[in-house]
């Protein structure tokens, strides 16, 4: 490429953007470690940390998009210098000002993702997926800036990637935090990521349709662009895309799950994922005797609790399935029994309320006798959490309190025929045999 | 003629209007967004979608009519300014109402079967009402930003500037209230911030009446006047309210309780395993539970901040509650109302009670594989002498024996009665 016109153009591009590139390399390398060194002991420090983290994360995708918009304006704009002064064919321009910088943008995205990783990561597959997502965001913003500006020859090209670059880092930084804690992020994060993709893809598609239908009446162009944008949004949010995504990266797994007295532990020992099959190997150890049982489960596994001294209750799901299976894993004879299967909507996670103790989207309580399971999980449709009551003996499941907003771990108090979920709002009283639940609102009286 | 003005608004902005409807309905159809059952009252990120489109719709209101040529043309027709304002506002409001109604209808039809028993008229209308409120405010904010400068882009910049100023005003308001000694009120922050957009919306109406073809300087004066008036009106109202509240203080009520004396939604209550006692954040206090009544046994110090995000309360089998707080372990016995503090290192973590609830082991150390295990007798509320070095979290083998991984990486056990002696031999496999 060195002797060709595109080589000269690439050299020109390098000369013009090298300081920007240096900035984009240095800022993540300095910004994220700097933010990590800021303590979170008070809200003031937390705000300061946010003020450092967010612009650092925002800079790379947004600037990539804005630079791309500028390049497109230069290459294709009416008053462009390049076509009139350099002996360049259109493919050369495309190679030097689009394809080559696209690769650079991808590398910059990988670099930013790597810089933003915290010190200790537990899951290498998740780290790889995370860095790839940063790369995809930065590349997408670059492509969007270039394409939109080239097609519309307006500054709109800089606005859309700035928007997408604004949303993307917020999603990815939240993703990183969950990744760092070893949570089962995959059922949820493709949904979040696809939302970003929708913001990236929809305007590109709409712009192409708008530009391609320039001979049609304005009315039809508007409608065609609108429909194309909606279709792009729909495709981005479709389950098919999510299944392809989930198949591509194995789940990041879950941290070791311990019983209250620390004696029983369920942990993940390995994962595999491919076109033919996928799965997660788990180990159930009784630390008192040192004896372990091992079993293979579907890709997504989340331990929920322990029924008595010998049985673990876990939730499992295959990628892309709309149902989640609750299983009981007996340690003594290493048998797994399916208790019940309940609906599960992986895409609903986006709107979930914050929960510091959220374990992969699940909080569950098993009563001491192992008969009842109360499961708080993401909703099929909504923005809160659903409370399921599961009869472990009869294999029946029912939502008893749908879509409530909560942000902390509750504690279940098991009474004879009732359970009280308390410790975090709202307090809920569950009638176990009746399968009903309501707000628990006792009246307070002062000291007599 | 007014019908034609309505028709003009529809023709010019039908894509945006349809986008508002699509943005409200799509999250429901995709099954991942807003719900109209359950008790969701809080903000959902999915509200951002219709709200964002509504803001853009509002910003577009005067995009064409607000410039010299558009305004001149519009007023060359036999149309009154009230018709122009009505056509813009009523069309927007109607579209928002339709969007919310369709979203509720879509949920009614498409909600998964497990939610159907919980969908009723009350839930549907409250969900749609909340969506309507959010979207309408967004539309109004966009409308309020649209008449200051001609063109979509300039109006967008005005919106962004107002948004930045609202944030600044919230901080300023908080600082000012602290300065003059008024209590902090979240609602006052919101209202003071909203003055930018409320004043802007009123100014947009005034501009339609008096200055749709006027220059930027004139419009700026109108906006400044309206926004300034909004702030003055707010200050007058709030001052009057504050004086009234100072003269008529409300009856004192325990924070965390509803007016009828029941626990409010955000009050934290932790209940003992037998359901007879509790620790609650209102007060805070130790309580006895009798049916639907909570009877205070002991009021705790105000500094005892019971909050599950900071300090999870755990109960032992014999009815004691304990939680870590400020480098101590608080052990409470609601039966007797006794409360004891046991010193604990700041880095203490991984508190594990013994199976019978008599003892507690906790870890403290520089890293997860360099821990010191300490033991507390919860019954006598005393920390036991001695500790062991561990490379992992501990586990209870039986009521007085703790298992751990020693510094050589081998499993070991220690009996609490022999804490000062060497650890017991590793378990046989």
């Amino acid at each position: 490429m060195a002797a060709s016109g595109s080589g000269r153009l690439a050299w020109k591009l390098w000369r013009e953007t090298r300081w920007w590139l240096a900035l984009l390399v240095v800022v993540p390398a300095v910004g994220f470690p700097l933010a990590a060194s800021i303590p979170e002991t008070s809200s003031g420090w937390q705000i300061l940390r946010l003020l450092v983290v967010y612009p650092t994360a925002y800079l790379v995708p947004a600037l990539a998009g804005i630079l791309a918009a500028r390049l497109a304006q230069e290459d294709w704009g009416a008053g462009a210098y390049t076509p009139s002064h350099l002996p360049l064919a259109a493919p050369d321009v495309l190679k030097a000002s689009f394809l080559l910088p696209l690769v650079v943008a991808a590398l910059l995205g990988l670099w930013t993702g790597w810089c933003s990783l915290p010190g200790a990561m537990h899951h290498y597959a998740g780290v790889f997926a995370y860095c790839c997502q940063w790369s995809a965001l930065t590349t997408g913003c670059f492509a969007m800036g270039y394409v939109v500006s080239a097609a519309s020859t307006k500054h709109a090209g800089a606005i859309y990637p700035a928007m997408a670059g604004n949303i993307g880092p917020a999603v990815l930084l939240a993703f990183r935090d969950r990744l760092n804690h070893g949570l089962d992020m995959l059922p949820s994060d493709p949904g979040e990521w696809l939302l970003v993709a929708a913001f990236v893809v929809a305007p590109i598609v709409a712009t192409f349709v708008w530009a391609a239908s320039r001979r049609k009446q304005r009315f039809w162009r508007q409608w065609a662009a609108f429909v194309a944008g909606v279709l792009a949004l729909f495709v981005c949010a479709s389950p098919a895309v999510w299944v392809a995504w989930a198949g591509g990266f194995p789940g990041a797994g879950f941290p070791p799950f311990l019983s209250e007295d620390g004696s029983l532990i369920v942990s993940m020992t390995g994962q595999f994922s491919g076109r033919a099959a996928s799965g997660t190997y788990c180990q159930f150890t009784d630390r008192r005797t040192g004896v372990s049982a091992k079993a293979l489960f579907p890709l997504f596994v989340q331990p929920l609790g322990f029924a008595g001294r010998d049985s673990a209750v876990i939730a499992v799901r295959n990628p892309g399935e709309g149902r989640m299976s609750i299983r009981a894993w007996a340690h003594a004879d290493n048998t797994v029994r399916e208790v019940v299967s309940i609906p599960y909507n992986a895409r609903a996670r986006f709107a979930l309320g914050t929960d510091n103790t959220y374990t992969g989207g699940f909080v569950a309580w098993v009563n001491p006798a192992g008969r009842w399971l109360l499961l708080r999980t993401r909703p099929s449709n909504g923005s809160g959490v659903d409370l399921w009551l599961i009869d472990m003996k009869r294999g029946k499941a029912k939502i008893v309190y749908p879509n409530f907003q909560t942000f902390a771990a509750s504690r279940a108090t098991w009474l004879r025929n009732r359970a009280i979920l308390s410790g975090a709002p709202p307090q809920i009283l569950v009638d176990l045999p009746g399968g009903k639940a309501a707000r628990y609102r006792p009246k307070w009286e002062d000291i007599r | 003629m007014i019908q034609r003005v309505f028709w003009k608004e529809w023709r010019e902005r039908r894509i945006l209007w349809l986008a508002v409807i699509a943005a409200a309905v799509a999250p429901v159809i995709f099954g991942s967004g807003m719900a109209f059952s359950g008790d969701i009252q809080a903000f959902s990120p999915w509200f951002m979608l219709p709200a964002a489109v509504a803001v853009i719709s509002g910003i577009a209101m005067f995009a064409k009519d607000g410039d010299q040529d558009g305004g001149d043309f519009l007023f060359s027709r036999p149309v009154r300014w009230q018709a122009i304002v009505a056509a813009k506002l009523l069309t927007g409001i109607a579209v928002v109402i339709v969007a919310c109604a369709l979203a509720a209808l879509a949920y009614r039809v498409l909600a998964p079967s497990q939610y159907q028993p919980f969908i009723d008229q009350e839930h549907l209308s409250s969900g749609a009402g909340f969506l309507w409120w959010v979207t309408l405010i967004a539309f109004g904010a966009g409308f309020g930003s649209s008449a200051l400068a001609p063109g979509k882009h300039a109006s967008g910049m005005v919106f962004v500037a107002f948004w930045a100023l609202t944030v600044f005003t919230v901080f300023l308001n908080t600082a000012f209230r602290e300065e003059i000694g008024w209590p902090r009120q979240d609602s006052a922050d919101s209202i003071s911030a909203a003055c930018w957009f409320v004043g802007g919306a009123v100014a947009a109406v005034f501009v339609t009446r008096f200055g749709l073809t006027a220059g930027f300087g004139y419009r700026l004066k109108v906006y400044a006047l309206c926004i300034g008036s909004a702030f003055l009106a707010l200050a007058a109202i709030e001052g009057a309210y504050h004086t009234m509240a100072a003269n008529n203080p409300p009856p004192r009520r325990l924070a965390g309780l509803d007016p009828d004396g029941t626990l409010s939604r955000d009050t934290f209550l932790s209940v003992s395993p037998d359901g007879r006692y509790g620790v609650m954040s209102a007060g805070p206090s130790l309580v006895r539970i009798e049916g639907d009544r909570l009877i205070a046994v002991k009021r705790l110090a105000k500094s005892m901040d019971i909050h599950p995000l900071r300090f999870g309360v755990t109960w032992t089998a014999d009815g004691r509650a304990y939680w870590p707080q400020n480098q101590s372990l608080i052990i409470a016995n609601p039966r007797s109302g006794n409360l004891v503090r046991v010193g604990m290192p700041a880095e203490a973590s991984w508190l594990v009670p013994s199976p019978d609830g008599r003892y507690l082991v906790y870890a403290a150390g520089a890293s997860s594989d360099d821990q010191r295990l300490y033991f507390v007798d919860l019954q006598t509320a005393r920390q036991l002498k001695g500790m062991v070095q561990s490379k992992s979290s501990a586990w209870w083998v039986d009521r007085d024996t703790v298992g751990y991984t020693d510094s050589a990486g081998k499993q070991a056990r220690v009996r609490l009665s022999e804490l000062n002696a060497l650890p017991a031999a590793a378990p046989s496999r």
Side-chain angles (χ1 to χ4, degrees), chain A residues 219 288 345 386 423 425 443, chain B residues 14 31 115 265 269 294 413:
Chain A
F219 172 78
R288 293 163 302 182
N345 181 1
D386 287 341
K443 197 165 185 175
Chain B
R14 56 190 164 190
Y115 288 144
R265 194 184 186 284
L269 171 71
L294 298 177
R413 293 177 175 190

Side-chain angles (χ1 to χ4, degrees), chain A residues 3-84:
Chain A
S4 67
S6 56
R8 293 182 191 181
L9 204 55
W11 175 248
K12 170 179 174 288
L13 191 64
W14 162 249
R15 295 279 301 188
E16 285 174 355
T17 58
R18 56 188 172 176
W19 295 114
W20 288 108
L21 288 176
L23 182 74
L24 295 181
V25 169
V26 170
V27 166
V30 174
F32 288 116
L34 178 68
S37 68
I38 298 173
E40 288 189 274
T41 49
S42 69
S43 54
W45 285 114
Q46 285 173 352
I47 290 170
L48 182 66
R49 189 182 168 116
L50 189 71
L51 287 176
V52 177
V53 164
Y54 197 68
T56 306
Y58 176 65
L59 192 73
V60 175
L63 261 187
I66 290 164
L67 284 174
R70 189 169 146 251
L71 286 174
Q73 289 284 330
E74 283 186 3
D75 292 344
W76 307 110
Y81 171 86
T82 310
S84 61

Side-chain angles (χ1 to χ4, degrees), chain A residues 159 195 199 218-219 222-223 226 230 233-234 237 258-263 287-291 309 343 345 347-348 350-352 356 378-386 388 399-409 411 413-415 420 422-427 439-448, chain B residues 14-15 18-19 28 30-35 37-40 42 44-46 107 112 114-115 118 254 257-258 260-263 265-275 280 285 287-289 291-299 307-309 313 315 350 352-353 392-397 411 413 428-429:
Chain A
I159 296 171
L195 184 80
F199 277 99
R218 182 183 172 83
F219 172 78
Q222 275 185 342
W223 271 100
F226 177 68
V230 170
L233 278 169
F234 183 77
L258 284 83
S259 61
E260 192 180 28
D261 66 357
S263 63
R287 295 163 96 183
R288 293 163 302 182
T289 60
V291 177
R309 305 290 298 157
N345 181 1
R347 286 173 292 131
F350 176 74
L352 190 71
N356 286 2
R378 67 192 68 179
S380 296
N381 188 314
S383 308
V385 290
D386 287 341
W388 287 83
I399 290 182
V400 289
Y401 205 105
N403 277 316
F404 63 101
Q405 197 80 34
T406 187
F407 54 87
R411 183 179 175 85
T413 302
W414 298 97
L415 306 175
I420 301 171
S422 61
Q427 269 75 230
R439 276 270 310 274
Y440 178 48
R441 301 186 65 207
K443 197 165 185 175
W444 189 82
E445 293 176 18
D446 208 345
I447 299 170
R448 288 170 180 170
Chain B
R14 56 190 164 190
I15 295 284
L18 290 172
V28 175
F30 287 139
S32 54
M34 291 159 289
S37 59
D39 65 350
I40 294 290
S44 157
W46 282 106
Y107 188 76
Q114 67 267 24
Y115 288 144
F118 300 99
L254 196 66
L257 298 181
D258 284 340
D260 62 355
T262 57
L263 257 62
R265 194 184 186 284
D266 296 332
T267 299
F268 304 106
L269 171 71
S270 181
V271 182
S272 67
D274 60 3
M280 63 182 268
S285 46
V287 294
R288 190 170 72 247
I289 303 173
D292 283 341
R293 290 185 306 157
L294 298 177
I295 300 155
V297 174
K298 182 182 177 72
R299 297 284 289 274
H307 195 291
L309 285 184
V313 175
W315 291 85
W350 190 248
V352 184
S392 74
S393 58
W395 64 93
W396 288 91
V397 178
Q411 289 195 4
R413 293 177 175 190
S428 57
R429 301 228 169 182

Side-chain angles (χ1 to χ4, degrees), chain B residues 128-332:
Chain B
F130 190 57
L131 176 62
W132 175 78
W133 179 241
V134 171
T135 316
L136 192 69
I137 285 177
F139 171 74
F143 177 81
S145 318
S146 68
L148 178 57
K152 275 186 194 174
H153 292 103
S155 298
M157 295 301 290
V158 172
F159 177 82
V160 172
F162 279 1
W163 185 256
L165 287 166
T166 58
V167 176
F168 175 71
T169 308
V170 168
F171 284 111
L172 196 68
N173 185 22
T174 307
F176 182 68
R177 294 180 82 88
E178 282 177 4
E179 189 66 30
I180 61 174
W182 281 14
R184 167 84 192 267
Q185 284 183 353
D186 290 343
S187 58
D189 291 347
S190 310
I191 293 167
S192 67
C195 282
W196 289 100
F197 289 111
V198 172
V202 175
V205 175
F206 273 106
V207 165
T208 316
R209 171 65 182 91
F210 297 111
L212 202 57
T213 57
F216 175 74
Y218 175 78
R219 295 182 197 205
L220 191 62
K221 284 178 196 164
V222 174
Y223 264 75
L225 194 66
C226 291
I227 291 169
S229 303
F231 273 106
L232 283 176
L234 171 78
I237 291 168
E238 208 189 333
Y241 172 79
H242 187 74
T243 310
M244 192 177 71
N247 292 336
N248 305 292
R252 291 189 66 182
R253 197 174 66 232
L254 196 66
L257 298 181
D258 284 340
D260 62 355
T262 57
L263 257 62
S264 67
R265 194 184 186 284
D266 296 332
T267 299
F268 304 106
L269 171 71
S270 181
V271 182
S272 67
D274 60 3
R276 295 177 59 198
Y277 294 95
V279 179
M280 63 182 268
S281 61
S285 46
L286 304 179
V287 294
R288 190 170 72 247
I289 303 173
E290 289 181 5
D292 283 341
R293 290 185 306 157
L294 298 177
I295 300 155
V297 174
K298 182 182 177 72
R299 297 284 289 274
L300 308 179
K302 293 277 183 197
S303 59
M304 201 75 76
D305 189 9
I306 310 293
H307 195 291
L309 285 184
R310 292 190 284 273
F311 313 111
V313 175
T314 307
W315 291 85
T316 62
D318 63 348
R320 284 184 174 77
Y322 66 86
W323 63 95
Q325 188 164 41
N326 297 339
Q327 300 186 27
S328 346
L329 181 73
I330 311 292
I331 303 169

Side-chain angles (χ1 to χ4, degrees), chain A residues 164-438:
Chain A
N166 191 32
I167 298 163
V171 173
L172 289 170
L173 291 173
F175 178 14
R176 177 197 64 178
D177 292 340
R178 285 206 291 278
L179 186 69
N180 188 34
H181 292 101
L183 302 184
D184 167 30
M185 85 293 293
L186 272 178
S188 57
D189 283 287
E192 297 175 4
W193 176 248
L194 289 173
L195 184 80
V196 180
F199 277 99
V200 174
V201 174
I204 293 180
V205 174
T207 310
F208 266 129
V209 172
W210 175 266
S213 61
R214 64 181 63 173
R215 292 188 180 176
K216 305 287 183 192
Q217 283 182 7
R218 182 183 172 83
F219 172 78
W220 294 113
R221 294 172 69 192
Q222 275 185 342
W223 271 100
F226 177 68
V227 170
V230 170
L231 274 178
L233 278 169
F234 183 77
V235 168
C236 285
S238 76
V241 176
W242 181 81
V243 170
W245 177 284
F249 299 108
F254 55 90
F257 188 86
L258 284 83
S259 61
E260 192 180 28
D261 66 357
S263 63
L264 302 175
I265 179 166
V266 175
S267 55
M268 190 187 85
T269 57
Q271 282 188 316
F272 65 96
S273 174
R275 285 173 184 270
S278 61
T280 298
Y281 289 101
C282 293
Q283 180 171 287
F284 183 4
T285 305
D286 186 338
R287 295 163 96 183
R288 293 163 302 182
T289 60
V291 177
S292 291
K294 291 180 181 174
L296 174 64
F297 292 101
L299 188 62
F300 300 126
V301 182
Q302 179 59 54
L304 300 176
F306 294 91
R309 305 290 298 157
D310 186 49
S311 183
V313 182
I314 54 174
V316 298
R317 188 171 61 85
N318 279 308
E321 279 186 0
R323 297 188 76 80
M324 175 171 65
S325 168
I326 308 295
R327 297 182 184 177
W329 184 7
H331 181 268
D333 52 2
N334 196 16
T335 53
V336 179
R337 171 177 69 93
E338 170 150 331
V339 176
V340 70
S341 150
I342 61 173
Y344 183 86
N345 181 1
R347 286 173 292 131
R349 178 69 164 83
F350 176 74
L352 190 71
T354 315
D355 187 339
N356 286 2
T357 59
Y358 226 70
T359 314
F362 307 96
V363 180
W365 305 268
V366 188
N367 81 326
R371 165 76 191 272
W372 301 102
L373 169 70
L374 279 168
L375 171 64
R376 207 174 80 187
T377 184
R378 67 192 68 179
S380 296
N381 188 314
S383 308
V385 290
D386 287 341
L387 182 67
W388 287 83
L389 173 64
I390 294 169
D391 186 336
M392 300 278 289
K393 192 174 165 189
R394 295 183 181 171
K396 304 252 180 186
K398 181 186 179 187
I399 290 182
V400 289
Y401 205 105
N403 277 316
F404 63 101
Q405 197 80 34
T406 187
F407 54 87
S410 307
R411 183 179 175 85
T413 302
W414 298 97
L415 306 175
R416 194 174 172 193
N417 283 323
R418 297 181 304 163
I420 301 171
L421 278 191
S422 61
Q427 269 75 230
I428 297 173
L429 184 66
V430 184
D431 173 5
L432 299 171
K436 289 181 180 173

